[in-house]
């Protein structure tokens, strides 16, 4: 990126306080970590729970920052200090300024489950047509998304950015920065309900459509009644896709798995069939596939380009990534969890296990507010239907999960664990003896705050079923 500092000053309304001649200083990067500051950087001071960026402004200047964006006056710095009320909002304004200068076609993606996978897959498919940029991993909030936008070169053909929300008003802030040419709403379910108030997840996700660029398009799943209703209330001309067999122009069906890893999907793009091979398997992937393919098709890609993009795509880290340990498949989906994503990954893992023993290592689904007990009890009932041989649990709401398992007449063991060592020891003690040589599949999934990767790392350090081989699932 390249922006004149004077232009940023005018955008933020600091012109009276900061005098910078037009074109005298060029900003080539925007950072919030002083360690990343370099010649040409604008350093944005953000006060967090543990660290206040204002305390590191001098260090950023020493490393070459040409200006500082702050929420309070800072004395003794040799560069202009742009003082605003809210540095996070100001960061978003700078990103919106840069977005306005780009000729890239911007895709904004939101949803309750799978949006990072869809973002990565869509960016990969679009890259077959032209230069494409996207968020790094899931940096999708009011800090991460603008920073990722400001890391773009400006000569891309496509920008693909996901927008994640936790509180009321989040989507309006993110949408105003993105101004998407194509807004994609993948799905809705119970996620971050603690901070979203009473209007419902579908209402908040649909706010993205209120910020479409002129002549922008909306692509929305038809498989969630509340989402259909709320999306239409915001934007009248919605294009819908489906993974549930509705007779729409953009629809898909799962066609099975031939190699135990990759799924085959039959898609219809504006009514014409297109077969793709995806880096995941199972019914849950049908929604991801048609969302990606429909978006790419609407942006002008052919069915052949879309199929080729799917063929060599890979999943992002901690998204159903499989490693082999002895005779066991270990599935790492530890990045995050909510009721929708948890149910889908459990179903996909159970299908992958086939008739082999199935073990789940799960963690609390956080930020569900008043519906937390209910959703964890429903999770227990769902688990009971899948009949894993062992259920390990880390985090809160264990009693609700246990109640659901009991109501579902589950006959296996439910084992709360706290430490990695305790998990490995419990695994040694309770894994049925007749499964050791036969092998099976073990799924790790839970909200980030549970740090389930610690249990996975403890398993990898142990000598339980020695030998490992990593591959994608």
């Amino acid at each position: 990126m390249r922006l004149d500092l004077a232009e940023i000053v005018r955008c933020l309304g600091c012109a009276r306080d900061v005098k910078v001649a037009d074109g005298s200083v060029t900003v080539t990067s925007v950072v919030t970590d002083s360690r990343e500051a370099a010649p040409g950087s604008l350093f944005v001071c953000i006060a967090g729970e543990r660290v206040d960026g204002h305390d590191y402004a001098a260090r950023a200047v020493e490393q070459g920052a040409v200006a500082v964006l702050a929420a309070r006056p800072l004395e003794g710095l040799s560069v202009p200090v742009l003082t605003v009320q809210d540095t996070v909002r100001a960061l978003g304004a700078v990103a919106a300024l840069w977005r306005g200068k780009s000729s890239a076609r911007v895709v904004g993606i939101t949803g309750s489950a799978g949006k990072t996978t869809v973002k990565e897959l869509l960016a990969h498919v679009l890259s077959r047509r032209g230069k494409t940029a996207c968020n790094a991993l899931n940096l999708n909030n009011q800090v991460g998304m603008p920073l990722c936008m400001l890391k773009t070169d400006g000569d891309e053909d496509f920008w693909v950015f996901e927008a994640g929300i936790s509180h009321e008003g989040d989507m309006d802030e993110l949408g105003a920065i993105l101004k998407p040419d194509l807004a994609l709403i993948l799905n809705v379910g119970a996620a971050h309900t603690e901070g979203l108030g009473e209007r419902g997840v579908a209402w908040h996700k649909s706010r993205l459509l209120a910020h479409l660029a002129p002549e922008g398009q909306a692509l929305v799943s038809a498989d969630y009644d509340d989402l259909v209703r709320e999306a239409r209330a915001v934007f009248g001309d919605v294009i819908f896709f489906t993974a549930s067999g509705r007779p729409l122009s953009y629809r898909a069906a799962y066609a099975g798995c031939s190699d135990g890893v990759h799924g085959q999907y039959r898609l219809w793009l504006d009514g014409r069939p297109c077969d793709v091979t995806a880096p995941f398997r199972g019914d849950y992937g049908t929604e991801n596939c048609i969302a990606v393919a429909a978006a790419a098709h609407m942006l002008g890609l052919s069915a052949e380009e879309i199929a080729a993009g799917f063929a060599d795509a890979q999943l992002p880290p901690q998204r159903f990534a499989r490693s082999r340990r002895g005779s066991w498949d270990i599935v790492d989906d530890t990045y995050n969890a909510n009721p929708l994503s948890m149910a889908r990954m459990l179903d996909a893992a159970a299908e992958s296990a086939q008739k082999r023993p199935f073990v789940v290592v799960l963690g609390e689904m956080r930020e569900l507010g008043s519906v937390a007990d209910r959703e964890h009890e429903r999770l227990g009932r769902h688990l009971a239907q899948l009949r894993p041989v062992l259920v390990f649990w880390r985090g809160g709401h264990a009693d609700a999960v246990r109640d659901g398992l009991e109501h579902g007449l589950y006959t296996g063991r439910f084992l709360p664990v706290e430490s990695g060592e305790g998990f490995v020891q419990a695994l040694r003690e309770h894994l049925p003896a007749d499964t050791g040589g036969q092998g099976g599949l073990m799924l790790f999934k839970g909200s980030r705050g549970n740090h389930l990767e610690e249990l996975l790392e403890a398993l990898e350090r142990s000598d339980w079923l020695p030998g490992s081989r990593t591959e994608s699932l």
Side-chain angles (χ1 to χ4, degrees):
M1 62 152 284
R2 293 181 66 86
L3 288 171
D4 289 339
L5 181 59
E7 192 173 18
I8 295 174
V9 167
R10 290 193 296 271
C11 168
L12 299 179
C14 303
R16 292 183 180 180
D17 304 312
V18 180
K19 305 300 181 183
V20 181
D22 288 348
S24 62
V25 178
T26 300
V27 174
T28 56
S29 68
V30 178
V31 300
T32 58
D33 187 333
S34 62
R35 294 168 295 185
E36 298 177 0
S41 295
L42 169 64
F43 177 67
V44 181
C45 303
I46 295 178
E49 293 182 0
R50 298 181 180 179
V51 177
D52 187 342
H54 294 82
D55 298 334
Y56 297 87
R59 180 187 299 178
V61 172
E62 290 174 0
Q63 296 189 190
V66 295
V68 172
L69 180 58
R72 62 174 186 260
L74 296 174
E75 304 296 335
L77 298 182
S78 59
V79 300
V81 178
L82 287 58
T83 307
V84 297
Q85 287 188 339
D86 187 328
T87 55
V88 173
R89 288 181 179 270
L91 171 63
V94 176
L97 174 65
W98 179 237
R99 188 265 182 264
K101 293 180 175 293
S102 171
S103 60
R105 300 176 73 181
V106 178
V107 182
I109 299 174
T110 193
S112 296
K115 56 184 175 291
T116 298
T117 296
V118 165
K119 177 259 299 181
E120 293 286 340
L121 185 52
L122 178 57
H124 181 78
V125 171
L126 291 176
S127 68
R128 302 193 73 86
R129 174 62 67 91
K131 186 176 180 179
T132 304
C134 64
N135 316 59
L137 297 177
N138 78 326
L139 297 177
N140 59 18
N141 63 10
Q142 285 93 325
V143 175
M145 192 190 77
L147 286 175
C148 289
M149 292 177 69
L150 290 164
K151 290 183 183 295
T152 61
D153 296 331
D155 60 350
E156 292 86 1
D157 298 284
F158 303 103
W159 287 0
V160 183
F161 287 93
E162 65 172 283
I165 61 174
S166 301
H167 301 92
E168 293 189 73
D170 283 355
M171 189 60 80
D172 284 306
E173 293 182 16
L174 295 170
I177 300 168
L178 273 175
K179 296 182 178 64
D181 297 291
L182 174 62
L184 167 59
I185 307 181
L186 181 62
N187 50 45
V188 291
H192 301 293
T193 52
E194 187 174 32
L196 291 181
E198 299 179 356
R199 284 171 162 162
V201 176
W203 187 93
H204 288 281
K205 297 291 186 183
S206 296
R207 290 302 302 163
L208 179 61
L209 309 186
H211 300 279
L212 283 166
E215 301 183 5
Q217 294 179 289
L219 177 63
V220 177
S221 174
D223 298 336
Y224 306 84
D225 292 342
D226 51 346
L227 177 58
V228 171
R229 181 182 65 252
E230 298 293 357
R232 281 177 167 161
V234 178
F235 187 76
D237 193 18
V238 177
I239 296 172
F240 289 102
F241 65 90
T242 181
S244 62
R246 288 174 169 83
L248 298 177
S249 295
Y250 289 112
R251 64 187 190 277
Y254 180 46
C257 175
S258 59
D259 62 358
V261 177
H262 297 89
Q264 309 295 320
Y265 296 86
R266 166 59 63 93
L267 315 179
W268 285 265
L269 305 178
D270 204 12
R272 296 184 177 181
C274 173
D275 293 331
V276 301
T277 300
F280 40 73
R281 58 177 290 182
D283 286 329
Y284 89 94
T286 309
E287 182 177 80
N288 292 349
C289 285
I290 190 56
V292 169
H297 190 259
M298 290 171 63
L299 291 167
L301 273 70
S302 67
E304 292 75 18
E305 288 175 300
I306 292 168
F310 271 91
D312 60 0
Q314 296 182 351
L315 290 177
Q318 294 179 301
R319 268 73 170 186
F320 222 73
R322 188 174 76 181
S323 62
R324 187 78 174 174
R325 188 169 181 83
S327 56
W328 282 75
D329 292 320
I330 311 298
V331 178
D332 178 4
D333 202 275
T334 56
Y335 193 79
N336 220 329
N338 59 52
L340 181 59
S341 67
M342 183 73 87
R344 289 182 172 183
M345 292 304 101
L346 284 168
D347 288 344
E351 182 194 7
S352 295
Q354 298 177 336
K355 295 182 179 180
R356 297 177 298 158
F358 179 37
V359 174
V360 295
V361 186
L362 306 179
E364 173 189 359
M365 301 179 292
R366 297 189 170 189
E367 299 182 40
L368 293 179
S370 62
V371 303
D373 277 338
R374 183 187 72 197
E375 293 296 340
H376 283 87
E377 197 270 346
R378 289 177 61 184
L379 169 62
R381 289 176 182 263
H382 188 77
L383 275 170
Q385 296 173 4
L386 301 178
R387 298 294 186 233
V389 296
L390 292 176
V391 176
F392 291 93
W393 185 262
R394 191 182 203 188
H397 302 286
D399 289 342
V401 177
R402 184 184 286 108
D403 288 345
L405 287 167
E406 291 176 356
H407 283 121
L409 304 179
Y410 176 64
T411 58
R413 287 184 175 272
F414 177 72
L415 301 166
V417 294
E418 295 184 3
S419 68
E421 293 72 18
F423 160 64
V424 173
Q425 182 62 33
L427 185 64
R428 292 180 188 276
E429 292 177 3
H430 297 291
L431 186 69
D434 58 356
T435 66
Q438 176 186 1
L441 185 142
M442 186 179 301
L443 170 68
F444 290 74
K445 185 166 181 64
S447 289
R448 288 291 300 134
N450 297 291
H451 299 291
L452 288 187
E453 67 276 6
E454 295 175 357
L455 306 189
L456 183 56
E457 290 166 0
L459 177 63
E460 292 171 347
R461 291 193 304 268
S462 74
D463 60 359
W464 182 79
L465 293 180
S468 64
R469 175 172 57 86
T470 301
E471 59 188 38
S472 295
L473 182 67

